Amino acid sequence: MDAAQQASLKGGSGIVGNADQGGARQVTLIEREIWDEVSRALRATVEPVMRRANLLVSGVRLADAGGRVLRVGACRIRIRGETKPCERMDEACEGLHAALAPRWGGGAYGEVLDDGEITVGDVVHWE
């Protein structure tokens, strides 16, 4: 996973150039606030890229958001469900899998509804 400052999204497909295209799991998201909390609890410097999610969002709660529509900049993403962390998280940092398991800590996945560009710093909010 490589961090990027912007990405192109295509409705019904996902992030342009990403391996996962189509289906319900076009984009994966994690919350900055939960990530920071987990890092503090583990007393480790854990970079968000270790989670291998597509988008790191802040200021919105993803827990129990299935069916809701999240606006990221000019694009909308319908949240389809919870992304459960896998055991491979412990390869990045011992204890990370268990720390992300509760309360949608592993994030969410969804489908892209609109074509458009998103950029780091775009406003994120529920519709």
Side-chain angles (χ1 to χ4, degrees):
M1 297 294 286
D2 297 319
Q5 292 296 305
Q6 69 179 45
S8 298
L9 277 61
K10 181 157 180 60
S13 292
I15 297 174
V16 174
N18 193 34
D20 293 326
Q21 297 288 304
R25 192 180 170 124
Q26 298 168 12
V27 177
T28 55
L29 307 96
I30 58 172
E31 290 177 49
R32 166 54 93 182
E33 293 80 2
I34 287 180
W35 190 260
D36 290 346
E37 178 184 318
V38 165
S39 295
R40 282 190 301 275
L42 294 174
R43 293 188 172 101
T45 302
V46 185
E47 295 298 322
V49 70
M50 292 177 179
R51 177 62 189 96
R52 301 187 55 83
N54 301 121
L55 302 176
L56 177 67
V57 297
S58 183
V60 293
R61 297 289 312 200
L62 298 173
D64 302 314
R68 293 185 72 185
V69 175
L70 184 68
R71 181 167 291 278
V72 179
C75 296
R76 295 175 304 139
I77 299 168
R78 181 177 312 283
I79 303 300
R80 305 294 282 176
E82 178 182 5
T83 303
K84 296 283 191 180
C86 71
E87 292 78 20
R88 295 197 63 200
M89 293 295 97
D90 284 345
E91 293 173 16
C93 177
E94 188 65 36
L96 185 57
H97 174 256
L100 290 173
R103 70 186 188 288
W104 288 53
Y109 65 89
E111 60 182 320
V112 176
L113 301 176
D114 307 299
D115 294 353
E117 301 287 322
I118 59 172
T119 303
V120 170
D122 279 349
V123 174
V124 178
H125 63 89
W126 293 111
E127 290 205 332

